[in-house]
Amino acid sequence: MATDVSNRSIWLNGQVMNVNDAKINVLSPTAQFGLNVFEGIRCYWSEEDEQLYAFRLEDHYKRLERSARLLQLHCPYTRRQLTDALIEVVRANEYKEDIAVRQTLFADGFGSWTTRLEVGMFIAPIPKKHTSAEYNKTGLRCCVASWQRISDNSLSPRIKCGANYINSRMAQLEALRNGYDTTIFLGDRGKVAEGPGSCLFLVRDGVLITPSLTDSVLESITRDTVLCMAEALGIPAVERSVDRTELYLCEEAFLCGSAMGITPVTAIDGYETPGENPITCRLAAMYERIVRGQEKAFAHWLSPIW
């Protein structure tokens, strides 16, 4: 890393600059209304290859484009330009370690919440160890949120936009106030949805289960990765609606996402999980090998930075 995080470089509207010099209009729709779409992209350092790999970059950009389409924000960049800009700013920081990258399209200028065309972009990489505390834990004690997860008919969780995360904020702060690490949402039909910024898996009778995409969850790239790994490992997996009480009966549970990877859940509303987590451990170990280039069958998911 060339500089400390408070003086790192970010990319803003075509220029790499010091983070302290990056400015956005305080009256812009992104500042006033959270009108933006973004991706949290992980890059992993491989000591063996002496290479930094961006994980599933193409899939992140497909989802960014879908989010922009649903929110009716114009994306002025091609996928090649999105990729080149990310590589440029990561190299500018001389990162050769695990990092997280926030790549955001935002509504700029003096428009209102109906703005469509005046769209800027910033890309902000940061070392993994400096991200949120819950993303660095080895096990999570969870509660079920009293706050309901947003639904497709309110503000769809399928859109990865800044405004959606206020829903997660309310539930996460509630969990922290009550002594938990994080929380699990229920959707508008009372079915289990996901965590704040993470998807949920549980194991019952040896079967890996995750809520359906129509149960108020993000179309998560890590969720899809887990399902692909399960198939490769011969672990039976199913996508279906999940009842709240199933959380208390499960043999294993974990939350997953680009920011936290795969993190075991140790208790939900005081109901302890057995703790051995054989399926979770197998999946987490394979995930670690994949992101560092040690599983050649999944090499197509990796984009080298250097």
Side-chain angles (χ1 to χ4, degrees), residues 147-171 185-189 191 193-195 213-218:
W147 295 93
Q148 185 181 98
R149 185 63 174 140
I150 53 177
S151 72
D152 204 57
N153 288 319
S154 57
L155 183 53
S156 175
R158 187 171 280 112
I159 307 171
K160 194 170 177 66
C161 65
N164 275 357
Y165 280 73
I166 299 303
N167 182 223
S168 290
R169 171 186 171 85
M170 300 303 290
F185 280 108
L186 304 181
D188 59 354
R189 296 185 296 111
K191 300 297 184 181
E194 59 185 356
L213 287 176
T214 52
D215 283 334
S216 295
V217 305
L218 175 72

PDB file of all heavy atoms in Angstrom, residues 147-171 185-189 191 193-195 213-218:
ATOM      1  N   TRP A 147     -37.587  -5.264  12.444  1.00  0.00           N
ATOM      2  CA  TRP A 147     -37.807  -4.524  11.200  1.00  0.00           C
ATOM      3  C   TRP A 147     -38.014  -5.507  10.052  1.00  0.00           C
ATOM      4  O   TRP A 147     -37.297  -6.492   9.922  1.00  0.00           O
ATOM      5  CB  TRP A 147     -36.615  -3.622  10.887  1.00  0.00           C
ATOM      6  CG  TRP A 147     -36.427  -2.545  11.901  1.00  0.00           C
ATOM      7  CD1 TRP A 147     -35.629  -2.596  13.010  1.00  0.00           C
ATOM      8  CD2 TRP A 147     -37.060  -1.275  11.927  1.00  0.00           C
ATOM      9  NE1 TRP A 147     -35.716  -1.438  13.729  1.00  0.00           N
ATOM     10  CE2 TRP A 147     -36.595  -0.597  13.076  1.00  0.00           C
ATOM     11  CE3 TRP A 147     -37.967  -0.628  11.087  1.00  0.00           C
ATOM     12  CZ2 TRP A 147     -37.005   0.688  13.407  1.00  0.00           C
ATOM     13  CZ3 TRP A 147     -38.376   0.656  11.403  1.00  0.00           C
ATOM     14  CH2 TRP A 147     -37.907   1.302  12.553  1.00  0.00           C
ATOM     15  N   GLN A 148     -38.978  -5.220   9.198  1.00  0.00           N
ATOM     16  CA  GLN A 148     -39.283  -6.082   8.055  1.00  0.00           C
ATOM     17  C   GLN A 148     -38.366  -5.739   6.884  1.00  0.00           C
ATOM     18  O   GLN A 148     -38.063  -4.576   6.634  1.00  0.00           O
ATOM     19  CB  GLN A 148     -40.743  -5.883   7.658  1.00  0.00           C
ATOM     20  CG  GLN A 148     -41.255  -6.803   6.566  1.00  0.00           C
ATOM     21  CD  GLN A 148     -42.713  -6.483   6.235  1.00  0.00           C
ATOM     22  OE1 GLN A 148     -43.013  -5.774   5.268  1.00  0.00           O
ATOM     23  NE2 GLN A 148     -43.624  -6.973   7.069  1.00  0.00           N
ATOM     24  N   ARG A 149     -37.949  -6.769   6.147  1.00  0.00           N
ATOM     25  CA  ARG A 149     -37.127  -6.543   4.959  1.00  0.00           C
ATOM     26  C   ARG A 149     -37.974  -5.897   3.863  1.00  0.00           C
ATOM     27  O   ARG A 149     -39.146  -6.239   3.687  1.00  0.00           O
ATOM     28  CB  ARG A 149     -36.556  -7.874   4.452  1.00  0.00           C
ATOM     29  CG  ARG A 149     -35.572  -7.729   3.279  1.00  0.00           C
ATOM     30  CD  ARG A 149     -34.362  -6.945   3.684  1.00  0.00           C
ATOM     31  NE  ARG A 149     -33.344  -6.921   2.628  1.00  0.00           N
ATOM     32  CZ  ARG A 149     -32.628  -5.843   2.317  1.00  0.00           C
ATOM     33  NH1 ARG A 149     -32.830  -4.707   2.960  1.00  0.00           N
ATOM     34  NH2 ARG A 149     -31.696  -5.903   1.386  1.00  0.00           N
ATOM     35  N   ILE A 150     -37.369  -4.943   3.141  1.00  0.00           N
ATOM     36  CA  ILE A 150     -38.056  -4.342   2.000  1.00  0.00           C
ATOM     37  C   ILE A 150     -38.422  -5.421   0.982  1.00  0.00           C
ATOM     38  O   ILE A 150     -37.774  -6.465   0.907  1.00  0.00           O
ATOM     39  CB  ILE A 150     -37.173  -3.264   1.333  1.00  0.00           C
ATOM     40  CG1 ILE A 150     -35.796  -3.836   0.985  1.00  0.00           C
ATOM     41  CG2 ILE A 150     -37.066  -2.035   2.216  1.00  0.00           C
ATOM     42  CD1 ILE A 150     -34.892  -2.893   0.260  1.00  0.00           C
ATOM     43  N   SER A 151     -39.474  -5.161   0.216  1.00  0.00           N
ATOM     44  CA  SER A 151     -39.968  -6.165  -0.723  1.00  0.00           C
ATOM     45  C   SER A 151     -39.967  -5.609  -2.138  1.00  0.00           C
ATOM     46  O   SER A 151     -39.752  -4.409  -2.364  1.00  0.00           O
ATOM     47  CB  SER A 151     -41.387  -6.598  -0.346  1.00  0.00           C
ATOM     48  OG  SER A 151     -42.308  -5.559  -0.629  1.00  0.00           O
ATOM     49  N   ASP A 152     -40.242  -6.470  -3.100  1.00  0.00           N
ATOM     50  CA  ASP A 152     -40.203  -6.075  -4.508  1.00  0.00           C
ATOM     51  C   ASP A 152     -41.255  -5.019  -4.834  1.00  0.00           C
ATOM     52  O   ASP A 152     -41.114  -4.286  -5.817  1.00  0.00           O
ATOM     53  CB  ASP A 152     -40.402  -7.301  -5.406  1.00  0.00           C
ATOM     54  CG  ASP A 152     -39.821  -7.096  -6.789  1.00  0.00           C
ATOM     55  OD1 ASP A 152     -38.610  -6.801  -6.880  1.00  0.00           O
ATOM     56  OD2 ASP A 152     -40.566  -7.227  -7.779  1.00  0.00           O
ATOM     57  N   ASN A 153     -42.305  -4.913  -4.026  1.00  0.00           N
ATOM     58  CA  ASN A 153     -43.356  -3.924  -4.275  1.00  0.00           C
ATOM     59  C   ASN A 153     -43.205  -2.660  -3.434  1.00  0.00           C
ATOM     60  O   ASN A 153     -44.088  -1.795  -3.454  1.00  0.00           O
ATOM     61  CB  ASN A 153     -44.736  -4.542  -4.035  1.00  0.00           C
ATOM     62  CG  ASN A 153     -45.110  -5.537  -5.124  1.00  0.00           C
ATOM     63  OD1 ASN A 153     -44.868  -5.295  -6.291  1.00  0.00           O
ATOM     64  ND2 ASN A 153     -45.680  -6.665  -4.733  1.00  0.00           N
ATOM     65  N   SER A 154     -42.105  -2.567  -2.671  1.00  0.00           N
ATOM     66  CA  SER A 154     -41.834  -1.320  -1.956  1.00  0.00           C
ATOM     67  C   SER A 154     -40.589  -0.687  -2.564  1.00  0.00           C
ATOM     68  O   SER A 154     -40.665   0.250  -3.356  1.00  0.00           O
ATOM     69  CB  SER A 154     -41.677  -1.572  -0.449  1.00  0.00           C
ATOM     70  OG  SER A 154     -40.662  -2.518  -0.187  1.00  0.00           O
ATOM     71  N   LEU A 155     -39.417  -1.190  -2.207  1.00  0.00           N
ATOM     72  CA  LEU A 155     -38.174  -0.783  -2.865  1.00  0.00           C
ATOM     73  C   LEU A 155     -37.347  -2.051  -2.991  1.00  0.00           C
ATOM     74  O   LEU A 155     -36.776  -2.541  -2.029  1.00  0.00           O
ATOM     75  CB  LEU A 155     -37.439   0.279  -2.051  1.00  0.00           C
ATOM     76  CG  LEU A 155     -36.156   0.841  -2.658  1.00  0.00           C
ATOM     77  CD1 LEU A 155     -36.392   1.343  -4.079  1.00  0.00           C
ATOM     78  CD2 LEU A 155     -35.620   1.986  -1.805  1.00  0.00           C
ATOM     79  N   SER A 156     -37.314  -2.610  -4.172  1.00  0.00           N
ATOM     80  CA  SER A 156     -36.855  -3.975  -4.377  1.00  0.00           C
ATOM     81  C   SER A 156     -35.430  -4.208  -3.881  1.00  0.00           C
ATOM     82  O   SER A 156     -34.510  -3.455  -4.228  1.00  0.00           O
ATOM     83  CB  SER A 156     -36.925  -4.335  -5.861  1.00  0.00           C
ATOM     84  OG  SER A 156     -36.368  -5.617  -6.075  1.00  0.00           O
ATOM     85  N   PRO A 157     -35.217  -5.272  -3.082  1.00  0.00           N
ATOM     86  CA  PRO A 157     -33.856  -5.647  -2.696  1.00  0.00           C
ATOM     87  C   PRO A 157     -33.037  -6.130  -3.886  1.00  0.00           C
ATOM     88  O   PRO A 157     -31.827  -6.306  -3.777  1.00  0.00           O
ATOM     89  CB  PRO A 157     -34.076  -6.768  -1.669  1.00  0.00           C
ATOM     90  CG  PRO A 157     -35.422  -7.313  -1.979  1.00  0.00           C
ATOM     91  CD  PRO A 157     -36.237  -6.159  -2.491  1.00  0.00           C
ATOM     92  N   ARG A 158     -33.693  -6.346  -5.039  1.00  0.00           N
ATOM     93  CA  ARG A 158     -32.976  -6.718  -6.260  1.00  0.00           C
ATOM     94  C   ARG A 158     -32.122  -5.550  -6.763  1.00  0.00           C
ATOM     95  O   ARG A 158     -31.173  -5.745  -7.518  1.00  0.00           O
ATOM     96  CB  ARG A 158     -33.989  -7.160  -7.321  1.00  0.00           C
ATOM     97  CG  ARG A 158     -33.407  -7.728  -8.582  1.00  0.00           C
ATOM     98  CD  ARG A 158     -34.467  -8.350  -9.482  1.00  0.00           C
ATOM     99  NE  ARG A 158     -34.822  -9.687  -9.028  1.00  0.00           N
ATOM    100  CZ  ARG A 158     -35.993 -10.018  -8.510  1.00  0.00           C
ATOM    101  NH1 ARG A 158     -36.937  -9.116  -8.361  1.00  0.00           N
ATOM    102  NH2 ARG A 158     -36.229 -11.260  -8.123  1.00  0.00           N
ATOM    103  N   ILE A 159     -32.476  -4.323  -6.365  1.00  0.00           N
ATOM    104  CA  ILE A 159     -31.704  -3.136  -6.725  1.00  0.00           C
ATOM    105  C   ILE A 159     -30.664  -2.883  -5.633  1.00  0.00           C
ATOM    106  O   ILE A 159     -31.013  -2.677  -4.473  1.00  0.00           O
ATOM    107  CB  ILE A 159     -32.607  -1.897  -6.852  1.00  0.00           C
ATOM    108  CG1 ILE A 159     -33.770  -2.163  -7.810  1.00  0.00           C
ATOM    109  CG2 ILE A 159     -31.800  -0.686  -7.309  1.00  0.00           C
ATOM    110  CD1 ILE A 159     -34.821  -1.067  -7.814  1.00  0.00           C
ATOM    111  N   LYS A 160     -29.390  -2.894  -6.011  1.00  0.00           N
ATOM    112  CA  LYS A 160     -28.340  -2.641  -5.020  1.00  0.00           C
ATOM    113  C   LYS A 160     -28.044  -1.140  -5.019  1.00  0.00           C
ATOM    114  O   LYS A 160     -27.141  -0.654  -5.708  1.00  0.00           O
ATOM    115  CB  LYS A 160     -27.087  -3.456  -5.344  1.00  0.00           C
ATOM    116  CG  LYS A 160     -26.078  -3.510  -4.200  1.00  0.00           C
ATOM    117  CD  LYS A 160     -24.983  -4.517  -4.493  1.00  0.00           C
ATOM    118  CE  LYS A 160     -23.923  -4.539  -3.403  1.00  0.00           C
ATOM    119  NZ  LYS A 160     -24.431  -5.027  -2.105  1.00  0.00           N
ATOM    120  N   CYS A 161     -28.860  -0.411  -4.258  1.00  0.00           N
ATOM    121  CA  CYS A 161     -28.737   1.052  -4.220  1.00  0.00           C
ATOM    122  C   CYS A 161     -28.530   1.526  -2.785  1.00  0.00           C
ATOM    123  O   CYS A 161     -28.905   0.850  -1.822  1.00  0.00           O
ATOM    124  CB  CYS A 161     -29.959   1.722  -4.833  1.00  0.00           C
ATOM    125  SG  CYS A 161     -31.508   1.462  -3.968  1.00  0.00           S
ATOM    126  N   GLY A 162     -27.934   2.709  -2.675  1.00  0.00           N
ATOM    127  CA  GLY A 162     -27.617   3.244  -1.358  1.00  0.00           C
ATOM    128  C   GLY A 162     -28.830   3.383  -0.464  1.00  0.00           C
ATOM    129  O   GLY A 162     -28.778   3.061   0.730  1.00  0.00           O
ATOM    130  N   ALA A 163     -29.954   3.853  -1.019  1.00  0.00           N
ATOM    131  CA  ALA A 163     -31.151   4.086  -0.210  1.00  0.00           C
ATOM    132  C   ALA A 163     -31.669   2.806   0.436  1.00  0.00           C
ATOM    133  O   ALA A 163     -32.203   2.829   1.553  1.00  0.00           O
ATOM    134  CB  ALA A 163     -32.244   4.720  -1.072  1.00  0.00           C
ATOM    135  N   ASN A 164     -31.502   1.669  -0.241  1.00  0.00           N
ATOM    136  CA  ASN A 164     -31.969   0.399   0.320  1.00  0.00           C
ATOM    137  C   ASN A 164     -31.298   0.062   1.647  1.00  0.00           C
ATOM    138  O   ASN A 164     -31.872  -0.661   2.482  1.00  0.00           O
ATOM    139  CB  ASN A 164     -31.689  -0.745  -0.658  1.00  0.00           C
ATOM    140  CG  ASN A 164     -32.772  -0.904  -1.705  1.00  0.00           C
ATOM    141  OD1 ASN A 164     -33.772  -0.201  -1.677  1.00  0.00           O
ATOM    142  ND2 ASN A 164     -32.577  -1.826  -2.626  1.00  0.00           N
ATOM    143  N   TYR A 165     -30.085   0.547   1.854  1.00  0.00           N
ATOM    144  CA  TYR A 165     -29.326   0.135   3.022  1.00  0.00           C
ATOM    145  C   TYR A 165     -29.767   0.833   4.309  1.00  0.00           C
ATOM    146  O   TYR A 165     -29.300   0.476   5.399  1.00  0.00           O
ATOM    147  CB  TYR A 165     -27.825   0.314   2.755  1.00  0.00           C
ATOM    148  CG  TYR A 165     -27.313  -0.858   1.939  1.00  0.00           C
ATOM    149  CD1 TYR A 165     -27.629  -0.982   0.595  1.00  0.00           C
ATOM    150  CD2 TYR A 165     -26.593  -1.887   2.531  1.00  0.00           C
ATOM    151  CE1 TYR A 165     -27.217  -2.079  -0.144  1.00  0.00           C
ATOM    152  CE2 TYR A 165     -26.181  -2.991   1.808  1.00  0.00           C
ATOM    153  CZ  TYR A 165     -26.491  -3.074   0.467  1.00  0.00           C
ATOM    154  OH  TYR A 165     -26.094  -4.176  -0.257  1.00  0.00           O
ATOM    155  N   ILE A 166     -30.680   1.797   4.205  1.00  0.00           N
ATOM    156  CA  ILE A 166     -31.263   2.347   5.424  1.00  0.00           C
ATOM    157  C   ILE A 166     -32.090   1.280   6.136  1.00  0.00           C
ATOM    158  O   ILE A 166     -32.127   1.215   7.367  1.00  0.00           O
ATOM    159  CB  ILE A 166     -32.112   3.594   5.100  1.00  0.00           C
ATOM    160  CG1 ILE A 166     -31.228   4.679   4.474  1.00  0.00           C
ATOM    161  CG2 ILE A 166     -32.799   4.120   6.351  1.00  0.00           C
ATOM    162  CD1 ILE A 166     -30.053   5.099   5.339  1.00  0.00           C
ATOM    163  N   ASN A 167     -32.754   0.425   5.375  1.00  0.00           N
ATOM    164  CA  ASN A 167     -33.466  -0.719   5.952  1.00  0.00           C
ATOM    165  C   ASN A 167     -32.495  -1.595   6.761  1.00  0.00           C
ATOM    166  O   ASN A 167     -32.768  -1.971   7.910  1.00  0.00           O
ATOM    167  CB  ASN A 167     -34.120  -1.501   4.816  1.00  0.00           C
ATOM    168  CG  ASN A 167     -34.939  -2.695   5.276  1.00  0.00           C
ATOM    169  OD1 ASN A 167     -34.861  -3.768   4.681  1.00  0.00           O
ATOM    170  ND2 ASN A 167     -35.756  -2.535   6.303  1.00  0.00           N
ATOM    171  N   SER A 168     -31.342  -1.882   6.171  1.00  0.00           N
ATOM    172  CA  SER A 168     -30.336  -2.681   6.880  1.00  0.00           C
ATOM    173  C   SER A 168     -29.782  -1.935   8.089  1.00  0.00           C
ATOM    174  O   SER A 168     -29.514  -2.539   9.132  1.00  0.00           O
ATOM    175  CB  SER A 168     -29.193  -3.037   5.926  1.00  0.00           C
ATOM    176  OG  SER A 168     -29.619  -3.964   4.946  1.00  0.00           O
ATOM    177  N   ARG A 169     -29.608  -0.628   7.958  1.00  0.00           N
ATOM    178  CA  ARG A 169     -29.097   0.175   9.077  1.00  0.00           C
ATOM    179  C   ARG A 169     -29.993   0.043  10.299  1.00  0.00           C
ATOM    180  O   ARG A 169     -29.510  -0.164  11.423  1.00  0.00           O
ATOM    181  CB  ARG A 169     -28.985   1.642   8.655  1.00  0.00           C
ATOM    182  CG  ARG A 169     -28.666   2.608   9.797  1.00  0.00           C
ATOM    183  CD  ARG A 169     -28.708   4.052   9.320  1.00  0.00           C
ATOM    184  NE  ARG A 169     -28.609   4.986  10.435  1.00  0.00           N
ATOM    185  CZ  ARG A 169     -27.470   5.400  10.982  1.00  0.00           C
ATOM    186  NH1 ARG A 169     -26.323   4.936  10.535  1.00  0.00           N
ATOM    187  NH2 ARG A 169     -27.485   6.256  11.992  1.00  0.00           N
ATOM    188  N   MET A 170     -31.306   0.184  10.098  1.00  0.00           N
ATOM    189  CA  MET A 170     -32.233   0.139  11.222  1.00  0.00           C
ATOM    190  C   MET A 170     -32.144  -1.201  11.957  1.00  0.00           C
ATOM    191  O   MET A 170     -32.114  -1.250  13.193  1.00  0.00           O
ATOM    192  CB  MET A 170     -33.662   0.381  10.739  1.00  0.00           C
ATOM    193  CG  MET A 170     -33.869   1.723  10.047  1.00  0.00           C
ATOM    194  SD  MET A 170     -33.416   3.151  11.065  1.00  0.00           S
ATOM    195  CE  MET A 170     -34.725   3.098  12.290  1.00  0.00           C
ATOM    196  N   ALA A 171     -32.095  -2.278  11.190  1.00  0.00           N
ATOM    197  CA  ALA A 171     -32.047  -3.607  11.808  1.00  0.00           C
ATOM    198  C   ALA A 171     -30.697  -3.880  12.455  1.00  0.00           C
ATOM    199  O   ALA A 171     -30.623  -4.482  13.535  1.00  0.00           O
ATOM    200  CB  ALA A 171     -32.363  -4.667  10.759  1.00  0.00           C
ATOM    201  N   PHE A 185     -33.401 -10.745   8.728  1.00  0.00           N
ATOM    202  CA  PHE A 185     -34.696 -10.170   8.391  1.00  0.00           C
ATOM    203  C   PHE A 185     -35.724 -11.249   8.061  1.00  0.00           C
ATOM    204  O   PHE A 185     -35.396 -12.300   7.514  1.00  0.00           O
ATOM    205  CB  PHE A 185     -34.576  -9.310   7.130  1.00  0.00           C
ATOM    206  CG  PHE A 185     -34.011  -7.938   7.323  1.00  0.00           C
ATOM    207  CD1 PHE A 185     -32.736  -7.630   6.879  1.00  0.00           C
ATOM    208  CD2 PHE A 185     -34.777  -6.929   7.894  1.00  0.00           C
ATOM    209  CE1 PHE A 185     -32.226  -6.352   7.001  1.00  0.00           C
ATOM    210  CE2 PHE A 185     -34.275  -5.649   8.023  1.00  0.00           C
ATOM    211  CZ  PHE A 185     -32.994  -5.352   7.583  1.00  0.00           C
ATOM    212  N   LEU A 186     -36.989 -10.933   8.328  1.00  0.00           N
ATOM    213  CA  LEU A 186     -38.125 -11.628   7.731  1.00  0.00           C
ATOM    214  C   LEU A 186     -38.729 -10.708   6.673  1.00  0.00           C
ATOM    215  O   LEU A 186     -38.685  -9.482   6.795  1.00  0.00           O
ATOM    216  CB  LEU A 186     -39.186 -11.964   8.784  1.00  0.00           C
ATOM    217  CG  LEU A 186     -38.737 -12.793   9.996  1.00  0.00           C
ATOM    218  CD1 LEU A 186     -39.924 -13.056  10.911  1.00  0.00           C
ATOM    219  CD2 LEU A 186     -38.069 -14.091   9.577  1.00  0.00           C
ATOM    220  N   GLY A 187     -39.300 -11.308   5.631  1.00  0.00           N
ATOM    221  CA  GLY A 187     -39.914 -10.538   4.566  1.00  0.00           C
ATOM    222  C   GLY A 187     -41.364 -10.214   4.861  1.00  0.00           C
ATOM    223  O   GLY A 187     -41.888 -10.505   5.941  1.00  0.00           O
ATOM    224  N   ASP A 188     -42.048  -9.641   3.878  1.00  0.00           N
ATOM    225  CA  ASP A 188     -43.417  -9.180   4.101  1.00  0.00           C
ATOM    226  C   ASP A 188     -44.418 -10.323   4.244  1.00  0.00           C
ATOM    227  O   ASP A 188     -45.550 -10.106   4.667  1.00  0.00           O
ATOM    228  CB  ASP A 188     -43.853  -8.227   2.987  1.00  0.00           C
ATOM    229  CG  ASP A 188     -43.805  -8.844   1.597  1.00  0.00           C
ATOM    230  OD1 ASP A 188     -43.326  -9.984   1.449  1.00  0.00           O
ATOM    231  OD2 ASP A 188     -44.251  -8.172   0.640  1.00  0.00           O
ATOM    232  N   ARG A 189     -44.020 -11.544   3.898  1.00  0.00           N
ATOM    233  CA  ARG A 189     -44.890 -12.718   4.094  1.00  0.00           C
ATOM    234  C   ARG A 189     -44.486 -13.517   5.329  1.00  0.00           C
ATOM    235  O   ARG A 189     -44.978 -14.625   5.544  1.00  0.00           O
ATOM    236  CB  ARG A 189     -44.849 -13.616   2.857  1.00  0.00           C
ATOM    237  CG  ARG A 189     -45.422 -12.941   1.604  1.00  0.00           C
ATOM    238  CD  ARG A 189     -45.487 -13.884   0.407  1.00  0.00           C
ATOM    239  NE  ARG A 189     -44.159 -14.299  -0.013  1.00  0.00           N
ATOM    240  CZ  ARG A 189     -43.666 -15.525   0.104  1.00  0.00           C
ATOM    241  NH1 ARG A 189     -44.392 -16.480   0.656  1.00  0.00           N
ATOM    242  NH2 ARG A 189     -42.457 -15.810  -0.325  1.00  0.00           N
ATOM    243  N   LYS A 191     -41.603 -14.835   5.943  1.00  0.00           N
ATOM    244  CA  LYS A 191     -40.579 -15.833   5.663  1.00  0.00           C
ATOM    245  C   LYS A 191     -39.192 -15.236   5.856  1.00  0.00           C
ATOM    246  O   LYS A 191     -38.981 -14.027   5.711  1.00  0.00           O
ATOM    247  CB  LYS A 191     -40.714 -16.375   4.237  1.00  0.00           C
ATOM    248  CG  LYS A 191     -42.062 -17.038   3.952  1.00  0.00           C
ATOM    249  CD  LYS A 191     -42.284 -18.269   4.821  1.00  0.00           C
ATOM    250  CE  LYS A 191     -43.581 -18.977   4.474  1.00  0.00           C
ATOM    251  NZ  LYS A 191     -43.830 -20.173   5.323  1.00  0.00           N
ATOM    252  N   ALA A 193     -35.638 -13.924   5.150  1.00  0.00           N
ATOM    253  CA  ALA A 193     -35.078 -13.264   3.973  1.00  0.00           C
ATOM    254  C   ALA A 193     -33.548 -13.352   3.987  1.00  0.00           C
ATOM    255  O   ALA A 193     -32.967 -14.297   3.451  1.00  0.00           O
ATOM    256  CB  ALA A 193     -35.547 -11.810   3.907  1.00  0.00           C
ATOM    257  N   GLU A 194     -32.888 -12.402   4.630  1.00  0.00           N
ATOM    258  CA  GLU A 194     -31.420 -12.343   4.607  1.00  0.00           C
ATOM    259  C   GLU A 194     -30.934 -11.487   5.759  1.00  0.00           C
ATOM    260  O   GLU A 194     -31.723 -10.968   6.545  1.00  0.00           O
ATOM    261  CB  GLU A 194     -30.943 -11.763   3.275  1.00  0.00           C
ATOM    262  CG  GLU A 194     -31.469 -10.361   2.980  1.00  0.00           C
ATOM    263  CD  GLU A 194     -31.071  -9.852   1.599  1.00  0.00           C
ATOM    264  OE1 GLU A 194     -30.324 -10.549   0.881  1.00  0.00           O
ATOM    265  OE2 GLU A 194     -31.499  -8.741   1.242  1.00  0.00           O
ATOM    266  N   GLY A 195     -29.627 -11.319   5.858  1.00  0.00           N
ATOM    267  CA  GLY A 195     -29.044 -10.400   6.824  1.00  0.00           C
ATOM    268  C   GLY A 195     -28.863  -9.024   6.204  1.00  0.00           C
ATOM    269  O   GLY A 195     -29.149  -8.816   5.026  1.00  0.00           O
ATOM    270  N   LEU A 213     -35.033 -16.452  -4.229  1.00  0.00           N
ATOM    271  CA  LEU A 213     -34.777 -15.085  -4.664  1.00  0.00           C
ATOM    272  C   LEU A 213     -36.033 -14.219  -4.587  1.00  0.00           C
ATOM    273  O   LEU A 213     -35.944 -12.991  -4.548  1.00  0.00           O
ATOM    274  CB  LEU A 213     -34.228 -15.076  -6.093  1.00  0.00           C
ATOM    275  CG  LEU A 213     -32.787 -15.557  -6.262  1.00  0.00           C
ATOM    276  CD1 LEU A 213     -32.423 -15.592  -7.737  1.00  0.00           C
ATOM    277  CD2 LEU A 213     -31.813 -14.677  -5.484  1.00  0.00           C
ATOM    278  N   THR A 214     -37.200 -14.840  -4.563  1.00  0.00           N
ATOM    279  CA  THR A 214     -38.460 -14.091  -4.463  1.00  0.00           C
ATOM    280  C   THR A 214     -38.889 -13.852  -3.020  1.00  0.00           C
ATOM    281  O   THR A 214     -40.000 -13.365  -2.776  1.00  0.00           O
ATOM    282  CB  THR A 214     -39.577 -14.842  -5.220  1.00  0.00           C
ATOM    283  OG1 THR A 214     -39.621 -16.193  -4.784  1.00  0.00           O
ATOM    284  CG2 THR A 214     -39.329 -14.802  -6.720  1.00  0.00           C
ATOM    285  N   ASP A 215     -38.026 -14.178  -2.052  1.00  0.00           N
ATOM    286  CA  ASP A 215     -38.328 -13.945  -0.638  1.00  0.00           C
ATOM    287  C   ASP A 215     -37.561 -12.743  -0.087  1.00  0.00           C
ATOM    288  O   ASP A 215     -36.966 -12.795   0.994  1.00  0.00           O
ATOM    289  CB  ASP A 215     -38.015 -15.202   0.186  1.00  0.00           C
ATOM    290  CG  ASP A 215     -39.081 -16.274   0.040  1.00  0.00           C
ATOM    291  OD1 ASP A 215     -40.235 -15.918  -0.246  1.00  0.00           O
ATOM    292  OD2 ASP A 215     -38.757 -17.466   0.197  1.00  0.00           O
ATOM    293  N   SER A 216     -37.567 -11.650  -0.843  1.00  0.00           N
ATOM    294  CA  SER A 216     -36.972 -10.375  -0.400  1.00  0.00           C
ATOM    295  C   SER A 216     -35.471 -10.469  -0.164  1.00  0.00           C
ATOM    296  O   SER A 216     -34.956 -10.006   0.851  1.00  0.00           O
ATOM    297  CB  SER A 216     -37.675  -9.857   0.869  1.00  0.00           C
ATOM    298  OG  SER A 216     -39.014  -9.526   0.586  1.00  0.00           O
ATOM    299  N   VAL A 217     -34.765 -11.072  -1.118  1.00  0.00           N
ATOM    300  CA  VAL A 217     -33.306 -11.147  -0.998  1.00  0.00           C
ATOM    301  C   VAL A 217     -32.653 -10.530  -2.235  1.00  0.00           C
ATOM    302  O   VAL A 217     -33.220 -10.483  -3.317  1.00  0.00           O
ATOM    303  CB  VAL A 217     -32.802 -12.598  -0.807  1.00  0.00           C
ATOM    304  CG1 VAL A 217     -33.475 -13.249   0.384  1.00  0.00           C
ATOM    305  CG2 VAL A 217     -32.993 -13.434  -2.058  1.00  0.00           C
ATOM    306  N   LEU A 218     -31.430 -10.075  -2.033  1.00  0.00           N
ATOM    307  CA  LEU A 218     -30.608  -9.595  -3.133  1.00  0.00           C
ATOM    308  C   LEU A 218     -30.207 -10.767  -4.018  1.00  0.00           C
ATOM    309  O   LEU A 218     -29.988 -11.879  -3.520  1.00  0.00           O
ATOM    310  CB  LEU A 218     -29.347  -8.930  -2.571  1.00  0.00           C
ATOM    311  CG  LEU A 218     -28.301  -8.455  -3.582  1.00  0.00           C
ATOM    312  CD1 LEU A 218     -28.798  -7.225  -4.345  1.00  0.00           C
ATOM    313  CD2 LEU A 218     -26.986  -8.149  -2.877  1.00  0.00           C
TER     314      LEU A 218
END
